[in-house]
Amino acid sequence: MLKDASRPIPCAFNEAELRADFGDIGRIQLFGGDNPDTLRGQGFDGVVMDEVAQMDPRLWGEVIRPALVDRKGWAIFLGTPRGRNAFYDLVQQAEEDDTGEWMVAVRKASETGIVPKDELHAAKRQLTREQYLQEFECSWTASIRGAYYAREMEDLTEAGRITTITPPGDVLVHTSWDLGIGDATAIVMWAIVGREVWILDYYENSGVGLAHYVEHLRSLPYRYGNHFLPHDVQARELGTGITRQETLERLGLRCEVLPQQRVDDGINAVRNLLPRTWISSERCQRLVEALRQYRAAWDDKRQMYRATPERDWTTHPADAVRYMAMAVAEAEVDVAGWAQKPSNDTAWIR
């Protein structure tokens, strides 16, 4: 499509790098948004981001926006809503802007006249109400198709349970880890008080050693209890013969290894836990977005959802929450062990 659009203008195409060069005038280049880190260090005069709702939320704030600074570049965001995620927040920010730097245009299929009416009527008959509203009517409230926790996260939002949380200093904070190999490791920091769970903090990084994560945890003002790890943490590394559990314990963590569990059982555990959960809106933004977008994989050939989740940027944070739900279930069997006693103090919620 880029080649067809560029042919009237003298230019050279570079197939390997997916770009069209227009001599001294400039260059248009195509990039994928799957891995934000691959775009770091670039400089752009302008960027068009398509299907923003499906991109990693870090891409704009941490990569693209800084890449526009030197040249005072511009950005255009295109996409279909996929629930109230980072794209939704971006649109809300633009609509509330009073500097004149932003422009928002919402174009519903029923209003533009581009799609013939008979085609719209056919789509209404063949799609679910949520699918039609999302794909054709730009609805933010329609759930993301296949999202495991869509209803629970919407309920949390409406109930005001995603909010500012300042826990008292004596709260015992536990962590649950999703340990990646060669990619991101995710850590959820949480406390259990009576029948409620407070998710206080979230941290994710990649390409760093285990000592980095321990150092990060120690930099936070929490009093830690147990650190819950998936069963594969006991696998021995080929080079050293040492397990990651042993490494973390040598670094001073009190680790508990969770038993292997079917993913769908863990998803159900999270669904049962979320209605009595509070989440920090300030320190867990990426985690909240991941829980909203975590969804079943779609099988194009069979035209149905697979029994396994989609593997994308939401996988690590969602898995860390799944391990948290497993740990909480263990705690409720042994409340006298490490769980906090119920408290009537609600001053930590604002």
Side-chain angles (χ1 to χ4, degrees):
M1 293 176 65
L2 174 59
K3 291 171 70 174
D4 287 343
S6 303
R7 291 192 193 281
I9 309 171
C11 62
F13 300 115
N14 187 317
E15 294 274 359
E17 297 188 11
L18 300 177
R19 74 172 197 250
D21 294 328
F22 303 92
D24 296 333
I25 300 175
R27 169 187 297 168
I28 297 176
Q29 188 164 0
L30 307 179
F31 297 93
D34 296 335
N35 185 352
D37 293 330
T38 61
L39 290 175
R40 294 185 185 277
Q42 301 279 349
F44 302 118
D45 293 298
V47 175
V48 179
M49 300 173 64
D50 189 31
E51 294 298 352
V52 180
Q54 299 183 42
M55 293 181 179
D56 190 317
R58 296 180 301 165
L59 185 60
W60 167 244
E62 296 183 17
V63 181
I64 300 298
R65 185 64 183 89
L68 297 171
V69 169
D70 291 345
R71 306 181 187 185
K72 294 185 177 181
W74 50 266
I76 296 175
F77 306 88
L78 307 172
T80 302
R82 294 178 61 86
R84 296 189 177 186
N85 53 21
F87 186 30
Y88 170 82
D89 293 338
L90 186 65
V91 172
Q92 295 302 303
Q93 174 189 339
E95 289 181 338
E96 295 170 2
D97 178 75
D98 58 3
T99 64
E101 295 181 352
W102 292 82
M103 187 274 288
V104 178
V106 179
R107 298 291 182 258
K108 300 180 181 180
S110 60
E111 298 173 350
T112 61
I114 296 174
V115 180
K117 288 185 178 181
D118 59 343
E119 184 63 23
L120 287 180
H121 290 319
K124 275 187 177 181
R125 292 192 304 269
Q126 296 164 7
L127 303 178
T128 66
R129 179 177 181 275
E130 289 76 15
Q131 288 174 335
Y132 179 81
L133 290 176
Q134 176 179 289
E135 297 297 331
F136 291 92
E137 297 301 299
C138 303
S139 172
W140 297 106
T141 58
S143 298
I144 297 173
R145 285 175 291 171
Y148 291 114
Y149 310 129
R151 179 177 299 178
E152 289 80 7
M153 293 304 294
E154 190 68 25
D155 290 344
L156 280 186
T157 302
E158 292 180 357
R161 285 179 170 260
I162 303 175
T163 185
T164 300
I165 302 177
T166 306
D170 60 348
V171 167
L172 198 60
V173 176
H174 308 283
T175 70
S176 56
W177 298 50
D178 178 65
L179 290 161
I181 299 177
D183 54 6
T185 287
I187 306 175
V188 175
M189 285 146 268
W190 49 276
I192 179 171
V193 178
R195 293 286 296 167
E196 293 186 334
V197 172
W198 312 341
I199 299 181
L200 306 173
D201 217 320
Y202 175 75
Y203 183 68
E204 180 180 322
N205 209 324
S206 60
V208 296
L210 292 177
H212 169 86
Y213 297 103
V214 175
E215 182 180 351
H216 177 80
L217 292 178
R218 287 174 176 160
S219 71
L220 302 175
Y222 300 134
R223 186 169 67 93
Y224 291 105
N226 289 0
H227 302 272
F228 292 91
L229 306 165
H231 71 282
D232 56 2
V233 76
Q234 295 177 322
R236 297 192 179 277
E237 298 182 356
L238 293 178
T240 64
I242 299 173
T243 68
R244 286 184 286 179
Q245 177 187 355
E246 292 170 340
T247 300
L248 290 170
E249 288 175 343
R250 290 176 183 179
L251 291 169
L253 299 192
R254 186 172 66 189
C255 300
E256 283 203 22
V257 180
L258 295 164
Q260 188 171 5
Q261 183 188 50
R262 287 162 37 118
V263 173
D264 54 349
D265 289 338
I267 289 172
N268 286 330
V270 175
R271 283 174 171 154
N272 292 332
L273 185 64
L274 284 177
R276 50 192 177 96
T277 299
W278 296 79
I279 306 179
S280 170
S281 59
E282 296 176 328
R283 305 187 67 87
C284 300
Q285 294 178 354
R286 180 173 172 82
L287 180 65
V288 168
E289 296 302 331
L291 291 175
R292 285 173 173 161
Q293 297 188 46
Y294 185 55
R295 63 199 184 279
W298 177 256
D299 189 327
D300 284 326
K301 184 176 181 180
R302 301 173 62 190
Q303 289 296 293
M304 62 182 294
Y305 289 108
R306 297 192 181 104
T308 55
E310 183 74 42
R311 289 201 62 83
D312 57 13
W313 71 271
T314 67
T315 303
H316 292 298
D319 282 350
V321 171
R322 182 161 55 85
Y323 297 135
M324 180 195 75
M326 295 171 60
V328 171
E330 285 192 3
E332 291 178 340
V333 173
D334 180 23
V335 175
W338 53 266
Q340 293 280 122
K341 294 181 179 180
S343 171
N344 295 323
D345 180 14
T346 58
W348 50 273
I349 304 173
R350 314 202 286 274

